[in-house]
């Protein structure tokens, strides 16, 4: 496999922060892989995602390098990299119709005219498996459920046909059933289009279900990186072991018995 | 068998939504025994929070009754209501909204102790220190503003506030859903320990079946304003009789390696 991005010795310190948010992070992101980035809250996952997208706040101290051997040059945000966040409300404009927002990327980056962009928006809305795409294209964000809004955000993120999709805690605000459906959708889109996915989550189980490789962050450092199954089966660091131990599913011994 | 601590019968509540009436509670009945955790699980929008809010009298039902500690709870008023209120506490998903944002951790606990006169005034400081320690927070945190602590720490404060008044029942509505998995585990352990020590009952509300199963003696599955399955947690999950529960079971993320392509 060839590298889409090569990150070396990346360090990030926010303005006025006592400690760096990222220190000495080096890894390659392979073209076409699903890379999960996991860790406790505050471990630097979102900072890593924002550094990759080029969306860190101004006056943040950044050192190290991010090279893009898999692209023709520096990535253009929205074009080469699509992003989706936990709260789709933050990326969707409340007063614009869904169709316009989804078509925006295609209009701006693929040079489609308004009519073609509208048609493309309807196609994308269908692709993220929303029912009645024409009707949803005419709706406003508040008329949709949280899970539907997240599907719209995904449609908008892939509109310009990016090489890399960065998804930061995209299912954390959703109920478990909707969460599973959104994760399935992401995997399907990424595999169908040969996209690369960086999937940021605090939930190791979610990561293990979809990722080729998992990167574990702790206190701003990349502490472990490896194939998903191996990393779960044989954690090499305390941070990974703690995440494995914190997992709860239907086979976990209950904390209480049958009756009080 | 001891008498139930809480008995709810045929609770009904509708809301107006886009010109229609939606039945958020469509005839809900349940019982909670002393020292028991009843887990309430269901997809988002099925009516869980409405039920929690009706039980805590934040929302009035259109029909139905609730008996709590032997009294007709929805009909209580005045001093009898105030006295009984102490015994039903609630913890929400995002506790910041439930606090005065300018308050300190100690201030939040002091208010709870004062309102319900839990301990003599002279002992309040010591009781606050005990509570802070009991929920696993460092003593130094007591003076911090509720705004300037982490989400996990804030949820510990919400739990400390709830148990400060030594209630019989705590209703936890998605209380761990916004926490990351490591913090979540520690909060669940705390809840279970507190129950063993004090015999408090919990109504544990969540969309996450795995978490509900881990802490509940019995579970009730809710769908479209009704309880569709109910029983001992292990039995109900081992033999789901509704499609709703089947979907909740399937959606639980399992820890596994890369699936075969
Ligand atoms: N805009 C910011 N300004 C200052 N500090 C920040 C900012 N964003 C995050 N941080 C801090 O950087 C560290 C890493 O945060 P983050 O990357 O958001 O972690 P995660 O996504 O793993 O929860 C934390 O200590 C956090 O408080
Ligand atoms: N204050 C309210 N006004 C209007 N509709 C409401 C209100 N509270 C709840 N609902 C509706 O009642 C139904 C149940 O909601 P809720 O009890 O919050 O479900 P859950 O907690 O299971 O997600 C939903 O259709 C919701 O939109
Ligand atoms: Mg984050
Ligand atoms: Mg709710």
């Amino acid at each position: 496999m060839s590298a889409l991005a090569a990150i070396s010795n990346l360090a990030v310190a926010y303005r006025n922060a006592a400690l760096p948010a990222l220190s000495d992070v080096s890894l390659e992101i392979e073209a076409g892989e699903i890379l999960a980035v996991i860790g406790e809250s505050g471990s630097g996952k979102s900072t890593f995602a924002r550094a990759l997208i080029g969306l860190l706040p101004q006056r943040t101290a950044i050192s190290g390098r991010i090279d893009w051997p898999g692209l023709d040059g520096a990535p253009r945000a929205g074009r080469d990299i699509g992003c989706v966040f936990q709260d789709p409300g933050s990326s969707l404009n409340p007063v614009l119709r869904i169709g316009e927002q989804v078509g925006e990327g295609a209009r701006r980056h693929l040079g489609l005219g308004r009519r073609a962009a509208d048609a493309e928006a309807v196609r994308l809305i269908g692709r993220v498996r929303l029912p009645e795409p024409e009707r949803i294209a005419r709706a406003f964000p508040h008329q949709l459920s949280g899970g539907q809004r997240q599907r719209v955000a995904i449609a908008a993120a892939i509109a310009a046909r990016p090489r890399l999709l960065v998804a930061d805690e995209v299912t954390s605000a959703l109920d478990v059933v909707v969460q599973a459906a959104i994760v399935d959708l992401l995997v399907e889109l990424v595999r169908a289009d040969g996209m690369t996915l960086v999937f940021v989550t605090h939930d190791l189980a979610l990561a293990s279900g979809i990722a080729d490789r998992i990167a574990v962050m702790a206190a701003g450092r990349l502490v472990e990186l490896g194939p998903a199954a191996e990393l779960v089966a044989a954690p090499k660091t305390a941070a990974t072991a703690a995440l494995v131990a914190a997992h709860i599913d239907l086979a976990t011994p209950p904390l209480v018995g049958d009756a009080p | 068998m001891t008498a139930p601590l809480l008995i709810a019968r045929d609770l009904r509540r509708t809301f107006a939504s886009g010109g229609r009436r939606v039945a958020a509670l469509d005839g809900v009945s349940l019982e909670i025994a002393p020292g028991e955790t009843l887990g309430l699980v269901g997809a988002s929008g099925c009516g869980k929070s409405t039920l929690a809010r009706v039980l805590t009298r934040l929302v009035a039902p259109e029909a139905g009754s609730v008996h709590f500690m032997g009294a007709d709870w929805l009909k209580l008023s005045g001093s009898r209501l105030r006295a009984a209120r102490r015994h039903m506490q609630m913890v929400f998903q995002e506790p910041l909204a439930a606090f005065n944002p300018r308050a300190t951790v100690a201030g939040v606990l002091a208010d709870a102790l004062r309102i319900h006169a839990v301990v003599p005034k002279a002992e309040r400081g010591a009781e606050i220190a005990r509570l802070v320690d009991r929920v696993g927070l460092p003593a130094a945190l007591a003076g911090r503003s509720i705004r300037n602590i982490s989400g996990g720490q804030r949820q510990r404060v919400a739990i400390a506030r709830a148990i400060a008044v030594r209630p019989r029942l705590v209703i936890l509505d998605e209380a761990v859903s916004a926490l990351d998995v490591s913090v979540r585990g520690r909060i669940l352990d705390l809840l279970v320990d507190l129950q063993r020590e004090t015999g408090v009952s919990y109504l544990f509300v969540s969309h996450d079946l795995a978490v509900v199963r881990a802490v509940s003696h019995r579970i009730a599955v809710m769908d479209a304003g009704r309880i569709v399955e109910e029983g001992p947690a292990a039995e109900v999950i081992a033999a789901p009789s509704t499609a709703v529960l089947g979907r909740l079971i399937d959606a639980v993320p399992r820890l596994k390696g890369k699936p075969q392509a």
Side-chain angles (χ1 to χ4, degrees):
Chain A
M1 271 211 173
S2 61
L4 175 70
I7 296 128
S8 25
N9 308 108
L10 181 66
V12 172
Y14 290 105
R15 211 173 139 244
N16 298 331
L19 294 169
L22 282 187
S23 311
D24 199 25
V25 170
S26 300
L27 77 156
E28 292 196 344
I29 300 174
E30 290 168 6
E33 80 169 327
I34 296 181
L35 173 71
V37 178
I38 69 164
E40 286 194 15
S41 76
S43 60
K45 305 181 296 293
S46 294
T47 302
F48 175 74
R50 279 187 232 121
L52 210 53
I53 304 164
L55 271 185
L56 284 167
Q58 287 191 347
R59 305 218 261 160
T60 300
I62 307 171
S63 63
R65 304 177 55 98
I66 304 182
D67 294 305
W68 298 88
L71 298 179
D72 297 334
R76 293 150 292 177
R79 171 73 174 93
D80 300 299
I81 307 179
C83 27
V84 191
F85 301 100
Q86 172 167 349
D87 173 17
S90 65
S91 48
L92 295 177
N93 183 332
V95 300
L96 269 190
R97 289 181 197 279
I98 299 290
E100 276 179 74
Q101 309 197 43
V102 171
E104 165 71 17
R107 203 158 54 233
R108 179 177 304 177
H109 297 293
L110 305 182
L112 298 192
R114 173 166 290 275
R115 178 116 7 117
D118 285 350
E120 176 67 1
V122 169
R123 189 186 72 82
L124 288 163
I125 293 168
R127 238 192 125 199
V128 295
R129 303 199 182 287
L130 284 164
E132 302 178 73
E134 282 89 1
R135 186 182 59 80
I136 296 228
R138 289 190 303 272
F140 291 96
H142 76 267
Q143 294 171 303
L144 306 183
S145 70
Q148 290 177 321
R149 276 201 292 272
Q150 202 54 290
R151 286 174 191 271
V152 168
I154 292 169
I158 62 170
R161 299 179 196 152
R163 295 283 307 281
L164 172 66
L165 188 61
V166 176
D168 187 355
E169 303 278 9
V170 291
T171 64
S172 304
L174 304 173
D175 80 36
V176 181
V177 174
V178 179
Q179 168 178 308
I182 295 284
V183 165
D184 287 349
L185 171 69
L186 277 175
V187 174
E188 179 189 317
L189 292 173
V190 162
R191 298 293 192 213
D193 293 7
M195 262 185 294
T196 305
L197 174 64
V198 171
F199 185 81
V200 175
T201 177
H202 66 269
D203 190 334
L204 174 62
L206 261 193
S208 77
I210 68 165
D212 299 303
R213 292 193 303 159
I214 296 179
V216 182
M217 308 281 308
R221 292 179 182 274
L222 172 66
V223 296
E224 195 166 347
L225 173 66
E230 274 174 39
L231 186 130
V232 169
K236 291 193 177 71
T237 61
T240 309
L243 291 167
V244 171
H247 171 69
I248 297 176
D249 66 20
L250 297 178
T252 308
L255 300 172
V256 300
D258 259 1
Chain B
M1 207 193 131
T2 47
L5 176 67
L6 179 137
I7 304 172
R9 287 281 172 262
D10 202 27
L11 292 170
R12 291 174 185 275
R13 171 72 207 214
T14 58
F15 290 108
S17 161
R20 294 176 304 129
R21 308 259 345 145
V22 175
L25 296 182
D26 191 11
V28 169
S29 302
L30 57 81
E31 296 185 0
I32 303 174
E36 175 184 56
T37 299
L38 175 65
L40 181 69
V41 65
S44 106
C46 73
K48 304 181 297 296
S49 292
T50 304
L51 179 57
R53 299 171 80 85
V54 163
L55 294 178
T56 46
R57 296 187 44 156
L58 292 170
V59 166
E62 289 150 355
S65 68
V66 178
H67 283 80
F68 178 55
M69 293 170 66
D72 192 348
W73 167 241
L74 299 181
K75 301 226 168 79
L76 287 184
S77 61
S79 60
R80 292 190 57 209
L81 173 60
R82 269 196 302 281
R85 243 196 210 300
R86 161 176 174 183
H87 288 291
M88 196 191 293
Q89 295 292 313
M90 185 153 174
V91 177
F92 299 91
Q93 171 164 358
E94 182 26 86
L96 194 53
F99 290 121
N100 169 359
R102 277 188 298 268
T104 61
V105 170
V108 163
L109 299 177
D111 281 349
L113 294 173
R114 183 176 46 74
I115 291 166
H116 293 290
V118 181
V119 293
K121 193 168 170 203
E123 290 168 26
R124 221 177 270 157
E127 180 66 6
I128 291 170
R130 191 189 71 80
L131 286 163
V132 165
D133 179 62
R134 183 62 199 89
V135 298
L137 291 170
L141 207 98
R144 296 265 291 277
S145 152
I146 211 76
R147 242 186 322 206
N148 295 331
I149 59 179
S150 73
Q153 291 171 331
R154 216 177 275 139
Q155 206 56 296
R156 287 178 195 268
V157 176
I159 291 167
R161 174 171 67 178
I163 62 163
V165 300
R166 303 173 192 172
R168 302 290 305 278
L169 174 65
V170 179
I171 297 182
L172 300 135
D173 188 3
E174 307 281 6
V176 300
S177 304
L179 303 176
D180 82 37
V181 290
S182 331
V183 180
R184 180 186 71 184
R186 296 194 282 268
I187 298 276
L188 295 177
D189 287 339
L190 170 65
L191 290 171
V192 170
D193 287 348
L194 288 169
Q195 183 172 59
R196 286 206 186 102
E197 274 165 37
T198 65
V200 66
S201 301
Y202 296 128
L203 177 64
F204 188 93
V205 178
S206 173
H207 66 268
D208 188 334
L209 179 64
V211 170
V212 167
R213 169 187 167 278
V215 296
S216 303
H217 301 100
R218 282 190 306 128
I219 63 173
V221 181
M222 204 166 170
D223 180 40
R226 295 170 160 273
I227 289 176
V228 295
E229 297 204 40
E230 208 223 296
E235 284 174 32
V236 170
I237 292 170
S241 62
T242 59
V244 189
L245 180 55
R247 277 198 296 279
L248 290 169
I249 290 173
D250 288 344
V252 172
R254 274 90 172 160
L255 198 50
K256 59 179 183 237
K258 185 190 166 194
Q260 295 308 304

